[in-house]
Structure formats: C-alpha cells, structure tokens
Amino acid sequence: MEMKLNYSLNEEDIDTFVENLYKYSKYDKKQKSKVISIAIAGPILITVLIDKLSPGTPAGIYILLIIGGFFLMYKTGLDDIKRDNKKAVIKKKEGFVEEKETILTNDSIKIIFINNQKKEITNLWQEVDFYIRENENIFIYAESKNVVHQLKSGSKTDEVEDFLKDVGVTKKV
C-alpha cells in the first residue's frame, strides 16, 4: 500500500509548526521543566539575598517578590522557548518553505523536497513515536531522530490518518 501527497509549506505554516512543537515535543517539555525550576528558585534566591542585605523587611514584600518573580520568569521563559523554535525554523527556512512530495508506504515515510531533488528524508515507521492532527495538518514525530514532519494533507487528511493507524502509528490526544 502506498499513498502520495503533494503540498507546499509557506511562511504562515511556520507559526503552526512552532506552536505544535511547543505543545508536544519532548525537548520542549524538558525546556519547560527547566523554566519552571528556574522560575521557582530564582525569586527565592533573590528574596534570601534581599533578606541578608536588608533584615527586617516585611514578609509581604518577600511574598510579592516570590510570586511576581515566578510569574515574570515563567512567562518570559516560555516565550523564549517559542522564540528559539521559530528562529531555528526560520534559519532552516529553505528546507521548510517549499513544495514537497510525501510518499507513505507500509514501511516508511519519505519526504522529497521538490525544489532540491538531492534532498529527501526517510523514516521507518518503527522510528515514529506518534502523530498529531490539527485541522488539515498532520505532524509526525520521530523524536529519537529529532524529526517532526508536517504534512498538509488537505482533503486527504482522513485517508492519511487511516493510513497511519493501519501502519501502527499512534495518535497523541
């Protein structure tokens, strides 16, 4: 069994890709854990330092510093993750924004970059961890290979999803 898809990814698809990475990527989950650790430890350390330098400061100020510092560091840290992902995709934009042909077989997924005939990516289904469906986009994650494929399947989205189920790729809900 084989299925072919031809599609183009454009500048607007970068944001969709980055948002999907942010939600589901194992790497981004590790980054979020680091942000939370720093967002908790940072304000507490600053509060301890202020207490050492200025003993007798009211407890309410410490609580405000800890809570405010946590939210500020947390929010900016998460924004940094998205920004870094977007920078990485834009840096490699020549491989992202272009026409592609995807061939799905019983054994693998092969992405052929139409504008660069020498470039293609193949992953065996055993290397694929899961897929996500968002509207007409299907994101296929092979995290052990540090690869995420974005397929724009349009009217064939249901067919592609059935194909993925048939070859044993699980859908992440």
Side-chain angles (χ1 to χ4, degrees):
M1 187 162 72
E2 183 176 289
M3 178 182 276
K4 287 186 181 184
L5 297 170
N6 290 307
Y7 57 94
S8 248
L9 293 176
N10 52 43
E11 300 274 341
E12 294 82 42
D13 294 316
I14 291 174
D15 289 331
T16 306
F17 184 77
V18 167
E19 192 62 39
N20 196 277
L21 277 179
Y22 179 74
K23 287 184 202 171
Y24 300 105
S25 163
K26 191 182 294 184
Y27 175 77
D28 278 6
K29 286 180 183 175
K30 288 178 186 176
Q31 292 297 94
K32 289 176 201 172
S33 295
K34 287 179 187 176
V35 165
I36 290 169
S37 299
I38 291 169
I40 290 171
I44 291 172
L45 290 174
I46 291 169
T47 303
V48 168
L49 181 65
I50 289 172
D51 187 48
K52 294 286 182 193
L53 296 175
S54 174
T57 305
I61 291 179
Y62 292 131
I63 292 170
L64 286 175
L65 279 172
I66 291 172
I67 293 171
F70 171 77
F71 284 115
L72 181 65
M73 293 179 89
Y74 182 72
K75 175 71 173 123
T76 56
L78 296 182
D79 290 346
D80 287 349
I81 293 170
K82 287 182 183 180
R83 188 188 70 239
D84 291 347
N85 282 346
K86 190 166 186 171
K87 276 185 187 177
V89 172
I90 288 172
K91 187 175 181 182
K92 295 181 179 186
K93 187 165 65 174
E94 72 278 352
F96 186 87
V97 177
E98 67 178 80
E99 287 186 51
K100 298 176 183 174
E101 178 180 55
T102 298
I103 302 170
L104 306 172
T105 68
N106 287 334
D107 300 323
S108 65
I109 175 173
K110 179 191 258 184
I111 311 261
I112 301 168
F113 297 80
I114 303 294
N115 300 339
N116 185 352
Q117 288 297 323
K118 295 179 183 177
K119 186 173 180 184
E120 63 181 53
I121 299 171
T122 302
N123 288 103
L124 299 175
W125 292 121
Q126 296 92 321
E127 299 169 335
V128 173
D129 298 306
F130 59 89
Y131 76 93
I132 305 291
R133 178 181 176 171
E134 287 188 6
N135 302 321
E136 69 174 23
N137 291 295
I138 292 183
F139 298 90
I140 298 175
Y141 282 77
E143 292 192 306
S144 62
K145 299 287 185 183
N146 202 23
V147 173
V148 179
H149 300 295
Q150 180 178 2
L151 310 181
K152 253 183 147 173
S153 46
S155 62
K156 292 185 174 182
T157 305
D158 290 332
E159 292 174 53
V160 172
E161 193 168 22
D162 289 340
F163 187 95
L164 293 172
K165 288 177 187 173
D166 290 345
V167 295
V169 179
T170 58
K171 181 177 183 177
K172 189 163 192 170
V173 187

